[in-house]
């Protein structure tokens, strides 16, 4: 079983719609969680950290459910520029010595 | 503030050869991590360097090795290249080893033929 699992998609969504991605993680020792965005043939870019209390950054809302080991990302009023692969990430320790564990990514296509 | 830089951008090598990839960390960051991203996969953690020492390692064989220099820049060396080593190699830096937020460079695309 993969440590971080995501639906690879693609998700084809009309511009202006709301889209939600989910991700599950298997290691209960994971302490930090993130969503990264990766454009085609580019490096991953940190989109937002994920907290149990939920956090929002403009049109983006992230949520963590530790009991279910589940992370979500909601994008409201989607834009063409939101088309990308979204990578769910868990980190086992409070430090980076174990590295970040990435899911395979969910591919999002926003259609005009 | 200077971001993470990597060189070269692209590289083509033959099976059995050796390769060295380079990374300069973001200004003010002392920790560098390396990742391998195969096509269609998420990045996989290779190892991390903190204050010139290897601080953690993923599930990669010893032919993957690295260095960190006093200015916190880093190298990834891969010996005895295999076809499966073809991938995007990403370097990420963070302010301290206990910071989980990591910032990635543009990567080096390695093709092994």
């Amino acid at each position: 079983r993969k440590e971080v699992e995501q639906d690879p998609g693609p998700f084809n969504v009309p511009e202006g719609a709301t889209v939600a991605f989910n991700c599950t993680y298997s290691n209960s020792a994971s302490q930090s969680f993130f969503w990264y965005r990766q454009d085609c043939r580019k490096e991953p870019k940190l989109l937002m950290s994920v907290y149990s209390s939920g956090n929002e950054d403009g049109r983006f809302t992230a949520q963590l459910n530790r009991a279910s080991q589940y992370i979500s990302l909601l994008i409201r009023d989607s834009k063409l520029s939101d088309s990308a692969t979204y990578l769910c990430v868990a980190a086992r320790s409070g430090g980076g010595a174990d590295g970040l564990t990435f899911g395979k990514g969910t591919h999002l296509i926003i259609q005009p | 503030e200077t971001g993470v830089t990597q060189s070269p951008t692209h590289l083509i090598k033959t099976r059995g050869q050796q390769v060295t990839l380079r990374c300069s960390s973001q200004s003010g960051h002392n920790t560098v991590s390396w990742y391998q991203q195969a096509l269609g996969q998420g990045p996989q953690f290779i190892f991390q360097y903190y204050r010139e020492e290897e601080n953690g390692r993923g599930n990669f064989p010893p032919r993957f090795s690295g260095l960190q220099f006093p200015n916190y820049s880093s190298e990834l060396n891969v010996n005895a290249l295999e076809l499966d080593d073809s991938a995007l190699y990403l370097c990420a830096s963070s302010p301290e080893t206990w910071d989980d937020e990591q910032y990635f460079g543009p990567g080096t695309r390695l093709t092994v033929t």
Side-chain angles (χ1 to χ4, degrees):
Chain A
R1 184 183 171 187
K2 295 281 185 186
E3 282 200 45
V4 176
E5 294 204 60
Q6 298 181 247
D7 181 345
F11 284 50
N12 288 283
V13 173
E15 192 176 5
T18 295
V19 59
F21 306 137
N22 303 319
C23 148
T24 57
Y25 62 95
S26 62
N27 192 326
S28 58
S30 297
Q31 295 187 17
S32 303
F33 305 90
F34 307 94
W35 284 101
Y36 278 76
R37 170 198 168 122
Q38 186 170 28
D39 293 297
C40 188
R41 303 183 74 82
K42 300 283 192 180
E43 74 272 24
K45 293 198 170 165
L46 179 62
L47 183 65
M48 56 199 305
S49 301
V50 188
Y51 306 114
S52 295
S53 53
N55 49 306
E56 190 172 308
D57 183 2
R59 298 181 293 108
F60 298 83
T61 301
Q63 191 78 48
L64 165 65
N65 184 320
R66 286 190 186 272
S68 302
Q69 296 186 193
Y70 167 102
I71 302 158
S72 65
L73 177 68
L74 183 79
I75 305 174
R76 288 180 300 279
D77 187 23
S78 53
K79 312 287 185 196
L80 294 176
S81 57
D82 294 334
S83 297
T85 296
Y86 290 83
L87 297 161
C88 177
V89 179
R92 265 201 296 257
S93 63
D98 291 328
L100 302 179
T101 301
F102 285 81
K104 282 189 177 184
T106 297
H107 188 40
L108 173 65
I109 301 169
I110 305 298
Q111 296 174 328
Chain B
E1 185 179 86
T2 307
V4 179
T5 60
Q6 291 185 243
S7 63
T9 307
H10 296 88
L11 204 49
I12 300 174
K13 288 286 190 178
T14 303
R15 191 170 47 184
Q17 285 188 314
Q18 178 265 343
V19 69
T20 298
L21 310 181
R22 295 180 174 82
C23 169
S24 290
S25 61
Q26 186 168 316
S27 175
H29 289 190
N30 63 22
T31 303
V32 172
S33 302
W34 286 91
Y35 293 81
Q36 179 195 67
Q37 187 174 24
L39 203 59
Q41 305 293 315
Q44 299 276 310
F45 175 62
I46 303 175
F47 43 55
Q48 183 185 85
Y49 276 82
Y50 171 65
R51 296 186 184 276
E52 302 178 58
E53 299 274 337
E54 186 179 293
N55 190 42
R57 191 177 183 95
N59 189 26
F60 279 80
R63 59 189 186 84
F64 285 78
S65 63
L67 282 174
Q68 187 179 34
F69 300 99
N71 66 355
Y72 306 128
S73 66
S74 177
E75 284 182 357
L76 164 66
N77 299 292
V78 187
N79 293 323
L81 284 166
E82 301 176 1
L83 296 179
D84 283 350
D85 295 333
S86 295
L88 179 67
Y89 287 84
L90 294 159
C91 167
S93 74
S94 48
E96 292 288 347
T97 186
W98 52 83
D99 273 312
D100 290 328
E101 287 191 6
Q102 298 185 9
Y103 298 89
F104 285 82
T108 294
R109 191 163 297 280
L110 173 66
T111 303
V112 182
T113 61

